[in-house]
Amino acid sequence: MQRMTYRVKVSTLRAKRRLSYLLRPSKRTLNLKSNLVPSIPYSPSARFSKTKKLVQLSSIALLSLPADSLTTMKAQVPAYNKVMLQKTLIIAAVPGDSTYFATDGFQHGFGYDLVRGYADELGVGIELKAYASDKAALRALQSGAADMALTTASSQLKNQLELSSINVSCGYDTSLTDNGLNPKVSWTFKQADDPLSQKASYFLCDRIKLESTQSLAAFYNQNLLKDAYSQQHFKKTLTEKLPDYQSSFKKQAKDYNHDWELLVAMGYQESHLDADAVSPTGVRGIMMLTNSTAEAMGVADRVDPLQSIGGGARYLEEMKSTFQDVPQTDRIWFALAAYNMGPNAIKRIQKHLDSDGINDKNWANIYNYLSENKASNSRYEQCMQYVSNIRSYIETMKMQTV
């Protein structure tokens, strides 16, 4: 071993001497210039020969370096550094009921909302790249096309690709399975020792964050239309009643800048698309408007389908405008909650969260507050169910699972 080390050192030293000798100024050239003797004519072939020799000698010197020097030269920049420098977290994700949905202008989903929370903590934005399969998303991560992956890939596949992974439930899988979510949903990183991966682990597995994750899982509950009765009732309503009102939903959605299927989901939640519906409290019509709301929205006849849908669409637009400072991805949930419970009730919750140093413009935090305090206020539980149900209906229509 000593002899081999000595030969490497000697070889390195000789290579350096050769390079030094070759690169030092020629005495003959200096003398010619100092004596004002005409310079030697330029020769491309001679210059090429000299360059070739330089490359050969440089290669010899490089190969003579110790192995640890080469490793240092090839060291990769941590993904965390790149993310913080570019202020963007690039996610390779596979669409699904446990990862994310992309529905006409905004992205949401259980896994996606968790990623947004992490990005907010890092102070960076998100760029989501969709892939058709777990393997394709993980390959993108492996190649450097993404900083992390959001998938439900098997441990076998992730191990095969030599990637590091964190289960978003941190071992509390029942919090996902009880809500119909895939317990394998995870965040995957290229290196386990990358700060991006290590910080993600602390973020997900913090005790307070775990409670928030469990509440978020309840919001994204996928069991609502899993039982046969609910599924058949929803499908029957869309088949038999929606055709009579579909043109009205589309017209009012266009007039007030909404997704028409979102309005359908609201109408189903409010009245099961029954134009003559009346509640014990006196609200009426497809969108179940109160007298005061109908008057404010210019609705003269609450049981007239077109007027009722128009009144609901206009009121929802006002709620969206009220929460203009909320990021678009969460604004629709705020607007729906305000539609159900009133904007001032939501603003009071925001004020309470803000006083505790909690982000009051994040829907997961609002939903968690509703969940924690529903025992003392029945309206909170009603609001939670209202928004969750509409989310489920619109996802079901978009995914065409009925």
Side-chain angles (χ1 to χ4, degrees):
M1 180 61 71
Q2 291 181 348
R3 180 178 296 177
M4 289 176 66
T5 303
Y6 172 76
R7 287 179 179 175
V8 169
K9 290 182 179 179
V10 170
S11 179
T12 304
L13 182 61
R14 288 175 179 173
K16 289 181 179 178
R17 286 175 178 173
R18 289 172 188 167
L19 285 171
S20 176
Y21 173 79
L22 187 62
L23 294 174
R24 67 183 181 180
S26 169
K27 291 182 179 180
R28 181 182 178 188
T29 302
L30 291 173
N31 290 337
L32 286 172
K33 288 183 178 180
S34 63
N35 294 327
L36 299 179
V37 178
S39 61
I40 300 173
Y42 171 75
S43 172
S45 60
R47 183 171 180 178
F48 175 78
S49 177
K50 184 174 181 179
T51 302
K52 183 178 180 181
K53 190 171 185 180
L54 271 169
V55 171
Q56 290 174 337
L57 290 174
S58 297
S59 300
I60 293 172
L62 184 63
L63 291 173
S64 301
L65 291 175
D68 58 345
S69 299
L70 297 177
T71 303
T72 303
M73 293 174 69
K74 292 182 180 179
Q76 295 181 346
V77 176
Y80 174 78
N81 292 14
K82 182 170 76 73
V83 168
M84 300 308 293
L85 179 65
Q86 298 178 353
K87 295 296 180 184
T88 303
L89 181 63
I90 302 176
I91 314 297
V94 181
D97 58 13
S98 301
T99 51
Y100 86 98
F101 296 88
T103 54
D104 297 320
F106 69 97
Q107 296 167 328
H108 68 283
F110 172 65
Y112 179 75
D113 281 10
L114 287 175
V115 171
R116 283 198 304 111
Y118 181 43
D120 288 344
E121 182 163 293
L122 294 176
V124 301
I126 286 181
E127 179 184 341
L128 189 144
K129 295 182 177 180
Y131 293 87
S133 68
D134 289 337
K135 189 170 185 178
L138 295 178
R139 286 289 189 190
L141 170 65
Q142 194 178 47
S143 69
D147 305 310
M148 61 179 282
L150 171 63
T151 72
T152 55
S154 66
S155 298
Q156 181 180 3
L157 177 58
K158 289 178 284 191
N159 291 337
Q160 179 184 339
L161 297 175
E162 298 182 341
L163 299 170
S164 174
S165 182
I166 307 168
N167 185 295
V168 299
S169 71
C170 292
Y172 294 91
D173 291 355
T174 55
S175 64
L176 305 188
T177 55
D178 289 349
N179 291 291
L181 296 168
N182 193 324
K184 291 182 180 179
V185 61
S186 61
W187 293 356
T188 307
F189 301 87
K190 197 169 182 180
Q191 300 288 340
D193 58 354
D194 193 300
L196 191 66
S197 174
Q198 294 174 338
K199 289 177 180 293
S201 180
Y202 295 137
F203 173 82
L204 287 171
C205 300
D206 174 78
R207 182 183 61 80
I208 296 176
K209 182 59 186 174
L210 278 173
E211 293 176 359
S212 178
T213 298
Q214 290 166 8
S215 293
L216 191 64
F219 172 64
Y220 280 106
N221 190 310
Q222 298 298 308
N223 293 324
L224 181 62
L225 291 176
K226 291 295 175 71
D227 66 281
Y229 174 79
S230 297
Q231 194 173 78
Q232 288 172 7
H233 188 277
F234 187 58
K235 184 175 183 178
K236 183 178 180 180
T237 302
L238 295 186
T239 303
E240 297 181 358
K241 293 186 177 182
L242 180 57
D244 294 335
Y245 311 126
Q246 186 165 319
S247 60
S248 296
F249 278 115
K250 288 187 174 181
K251 180 184 185 306
Q252 300 296 359
K254 183 178 180 180
D255 289 346
Y256 294 102
N257 192 33
H258 296 305
D259 182 295
W260 75 273
E261 289 175 308
L262 170 61
L263 294 183
V264 173
M266 291 175 64
Y268 183 81
Q269 171 64 26
E270 294 283 0
S271 67
H272 289 174
L273 303 186
D274 182 358
D276 298 318
V278 182
S279 81
T281 58
V283 294
R284 303 187 67 179
I286 287 180
M287 304 302 278
M288 298 297 272
L289 302 175
T290 64
N291 265 321
S292 58
T293 301
E295 185 177 349
M297 298 299 108
V299 175
D301 185 357
R302 288 184 290 166
V303 297
D304 177 84
L306 182 61
Q307 290 190 49
S308 180
I309 295 169
R314 182 178 175 184
Y315 187 57
L316 179 64
E317 181 59 26
E318 286 193 4
M319 295 304 97
K320 286 166 67 176
S321 298
T322 300
F323 296 96
Q324 192 68 35
D325 58 342
V326 172
Q328 186 177 357
T329 47
D330 278 354
R331 194 178 306 152
I332 188 60
W333 311 135
F334 276 73
L336 288 171
Y339 187 104
N340 173 259
M341 200 165 61
N344 291 331
I346 303 303
K347 286 185 175 295
R348 282 194 294 271
I349 293 174
Q350 284 186 292
K351 186 176 181 180
H352 183 85
L353 291 175
D354 185 60
S355 66
D356 288 343
I358 301 172
N359 183 359
D360 66 326
K361 297 175 180 60
N362 181 283
W363 172 248
N365 294 336
I366 297 291
Y367 190 86
N368 192 49
Y369 181 91
L370 293 171
S371 178
E372 289 180 345
N373 295 278
K374 63 184 179 182
S376 60
N377 191 329
S378 60
R379 295 180 66 204
Y380 287 177
E381 185 165 13
Q382 181 187 42
C383 182
M384 292 166 61
Q385 293 175 351
Y386 182 84
V387 183
S388 295
N389 288 355
I390 291 174
R391 173 205 55 76
S392 182
Y393 298 145
I394 191 173
E395 286 173 1
T396 301
M397 286 186 285
K398 296 294 185 185
M399 302 292 285
Q400 296 182 343
T401 54
V402 296

